Amino acid sequence: MSDQNIFYVRTEEAPRLPAPPSQQGITGWLWNNIFASMADYSTPSKAISSILMIGMTLFTAYSLVWMTWTMLDFAIFSATFSDPAGGKRETCLANGGACWPFIQAKWYQFMYGFYPKEEIWRVQLSMVMLAIGTLWMVLPMMPARGKVAAIMLFVYPIVVFVLLNGGPVEHGTDDIGRIVAGVWFPLIAAGVCFAAWWLTRDGKMGDVAMALSPAMLMATVVLGAFAVLPLITLGIDLTLGTEIVETNKWGGLTITLVVAIFGIVISLPVGVLLALGRQSNAPIIKYSSVLFIEVVRGIPLISVLFFASAMLPYFLEPGVDFNKLLRAMIGVAMFASAYMAEVIRGGLQAMPKGQYEGGMSLGLSFWQQMRLIILPQALTTVIPGIVNTFIGMFKDTTLVLIISIFDLLGILSATLKDPEWSTPTTAYTGYLVISIIYFIFCFGMSRYSVYMEKKLDRSHR
């Protein structure tokens, strides 16, 4: 029998060898995650490219480690955390790191600007309401999130303005009696309409009654508003009979949130209307929308703010004036609306023609098609672009400093002029804190955007 026909059968288990170094430990992780895709030495050109890529990777890793260590050393290891002697400037110069006593001393101004301390409860109440409303809207287990969102969009801004601005209100007994007496008729009428809707909502009383049911519900809401709003206004007036706090005393994070929230609330619906107007077949509506969008997008936000601050009063009737903060809010909202319109127009153009045809085949009107079919899909498609516009607008609020409105960054610039805290590390510490605050808000919006994308994703992958 030749050697080629000889077979061997192993009667013992082969010894288990350890895994190669490239497959275990930190070396294995680096090889599999970083260097494996780069190590190709089959040709000289690929070998040079692999060496360059490995060098860039090592340089990037070193840069990240160096920047992280430098930041930690400045913010923690070499920082000053207390100022027991009250030396201020000398204390900040002692260690060469961050000067946290400066942040403690100026924290009130960072948050509230120059708002009177005895009235600070009004700002804190507004922020608590904002936090509760935001959490209610974003947490999926909370009930009636749509109604809370409507309240935060339409009611909350008015309540906050009245709350922050304040103002002594004097009501006589006759005025209060007249207000209270005036709510009885709409309240009784709303009750009658509600009873009619309750009886006709299930269609048991005939087709005509069922057709009237939505109208009864709408009448209940309108009459209820006429009955309740005077009482709400009276309650606000009597509760907030406090001193007026002019907007030039607002500042810090308060101003940043006021301008940003106003811009977000206004830019989304106005952007939707502008996007629909740009796609309209009516020439006046279409070209008016195009003109507004292109003009606003073609000039920088600084110019818009200067226009809103300096030139807007010339277009108003004599004696009519807006304060500087309201002008800035209008400018930011106009600027954001133009960009939002283009984002939403991209979502509308992404909708297949069959979606429009499907709505028309069902006999839906234009606005019913938009509300029930087109806009829900279009807005879902462009969620990243919408949130990106919100984030950009939130950061652009720092530009209101050029028209002497002291937002978060403006307050920092003002506090750095204090000679008692005038050191290089003071400025670096302030900018570090401001950047962390902006990062928290922007990163939060970004993460919620990712969550909504995954939740509303209907693709089949």
Side-chain angles (χ1 to χ4, degrees):
M1 183 180 294
S2 63
D3 294 341
Q4 295 180 352
N5 295 326
I6 297 176
F7 301 95
Y8 294 94
V9 178
R10 183 183 296 275
T11 59
E12 297 178 357
E13 183 179 355
R16 296 185 179 183
L17 300 177
S22 61
Q23 299 296 323
Q24 61 180 348
I26 186 64
T27 305
W29 185 90
L30 291 173
W31 177 261
N32 292 323
N33 294 276
I34 297 179
F35 300 117
S37 59
M38 306 176 189
D40 186 358
Y41 304 102
S42 57
T43 62
S45 60
K46 291 183 178 180
I48 295 174
S49 177
S50 298
I51 293 174
L52 290 176
M53 290 295 293
I54 292 174
M56 293 177 60
T57 301
L58 294 175
F59 175 76
T60 303
Y62 171 78
S63 300
L64 290 175
V65 172
W66 175 78
M67 287 188 293
T68 303
W69 170 255
T70 302
M71 184 65 66
L72 292 176
D73 180 63
F74 175 79
I76 299 177
F77 303 125
S78 299
T80 302
F81 292 95
S82 62
D83 184 17
K88 296 183 179 180
R89 188 174 185 275
E90 292 74 13
T91 302
C92 293
L93 291 173
N95 299 326
C99 183
W100 296 114
F102 166 74
I103 302 300
Q104 297 173 4
K106 304 296 182 180
W107 185 252
Y108 181 89
Q109 295 182 17
F110 287 161
M111 293 294 103
Y112 313 113
F114 307 101
Y115 210 89
K117 290 187 177 181
E118 60 273 11
E119 303 291 336
I120 199 60
W121 63 269
R122 291 148 62 175
V123 183
Q124 294 172 344
L125 179 60
S126 302
M127 291 187 175
V128 169
M129 293 167 58
L130 175 63
I132 294 175
T134 304
L135 289 176
W136 196 297
M137 290 188 296
V138 301
L139 295 179
M141 73 288 296
M142 301 302 292
R145 291 194 297 163
K147 297 178 181 178
V148 174
I151 293 174
M152 294 299 295
L153 288 176
F154 301 108
V155 179
Y156 175 76
I158 300 174
V159 173
V160 166
F161 176 78
V162 175
L163 193 63
L164 294 180
N165 192 69
V169 181
E170 298 181 359
H171 285 291
T173 305
D174 295 338
D175 295 332
I176 296 176
R178 192 180 302 112
I179 292 174
V180 174
V183 306
W184 288 110
F185 174 76
L187 190 61
I188 294 174
V192 173
C193 292
F194 179 79
W197 169 76
W198 184 265
L199 294 174
T200 59
R201 73 190 193 284
D202 53 5
K204 295 180 179 180
M205 300 181 66
D207 295 337
V208 176
M210 187 175 181
L212 293 175
S213 181
M216 292 297 100
L217 180 60
M218 181 61 68
T220 301
V221 174
V222 173
L223 292 172
F226 276 110
V228 174
L229 284 179
L231 294 178
I232 295 177
T233 304
L234 176 62
I236 292 176
D237 288 347
L238 294 177
T239 303
L240 301 180
T242 53
E243 68 169 301
I244 295 178
V245 180
E246 300 292 342
T247 55
N248 58 6
K249 294 183 180 179
W250 303 8
L253 185 61
T254 303
I255 284 288
T256 299
L257 293 177
V258 166
V259 176
I261 292 174
F262 182 84
I264 290 173
V265 170
I266 298 299
S267 64
L268 186 57
V270 173
V272 171
L273 294 177
L274 289 172
L276 295 175
R278 186 159 188 169
Q279 291 190 326
S280 173
N281 294 324
I284 296 179
I285 298 177
K286 177 178 181 179
Y287 292 112
S288 298
S289 302
V290 171
L291 180 64
F292 176 85
I293 293 172
E294 297 302 331
V295 169
V296 174
R297 288 202 311 154
I299 55 180
L301 179 57
I302 293 178
S303 301
V304 175
L305 292 175
F306 270 124
F307 174 83
S309 176
M311 299 184 63
L312 184 61
Y314 292 103
F315 294 89
L316 302 176
E317 294 291 333
V320 178
D321 191 16
F322 297 135
N323 63 58
K324 190 180 298 184
L325 176 60
L326 184 56
R327 298 179 203 170
M329 293 163 61
I330 294 174
V332 171
M334 290 173 52
F335 189 81
S337 298
Y339 280 86
M340 187 65 68
E342 288 300 280
V343 172
I344 296 174
R345 186 170 70 92
L348 294 175
Q349 290 183 341
M351 290 298 99
K353 186 178 180 181
Q355 299 293 325
Y356 295 88
E357 295 174 346
M360 289 186 288
S361 67
L362 294 174
L364 301 179
S365 65
F366 172 79
W367 290 109
Q368 288 176 327
Q369 295 177 42
M370 291 295 109
R371 182 172 62 88
L372 300 175
I373 300 176
I374 305 301
L375 281 178
Q377 299 181 71
L379 295 178
T380 301
T381 304
V382 295
I383 284 178
I386 293 175
V387 177
N388 184 63
T389 304
F390 288 163
I391 292 175
M393 179 176 56
F394 185 83
K395 294 185 293 185
D396 286 343
T397 55
T398 57
L399 295 176
V400 299
L401 176 62
I402 64 173
I403 56 175
S404 301
I405 295 178
F406 294 95
D407 69 318
L408 192 56
L409 189 61
I411 286 293
L412 174 61
S413 300
T415 55
L416 290 178
K417 297 178 182 179
D418 187 350
E420 294 183 349
W421 294 99
S422 180
T423 65
T425 57
T426 300
Y428 296 149
T429 307
Y431 287 121
L432 174 62
V433 172
I434 298 302
S435 63
I436 291 174
I437 294 175
Y438 274 102
F439 176 79
I440 290 173
F441 280 95
C442 296
F443 185 74
M445 288 188 283
S446 174
R447 290 300 91 193
Y448 187 70
S449 169
V450 173
Y451 164 75
M452 291 301 298
E453 288 179 53
K454 294 180 179 179
K455 181 179 179 180
L456 300 177
D457 186 17
R458 296 295 182 266
S459 61
H460 300 280
R461 298 180 181 178

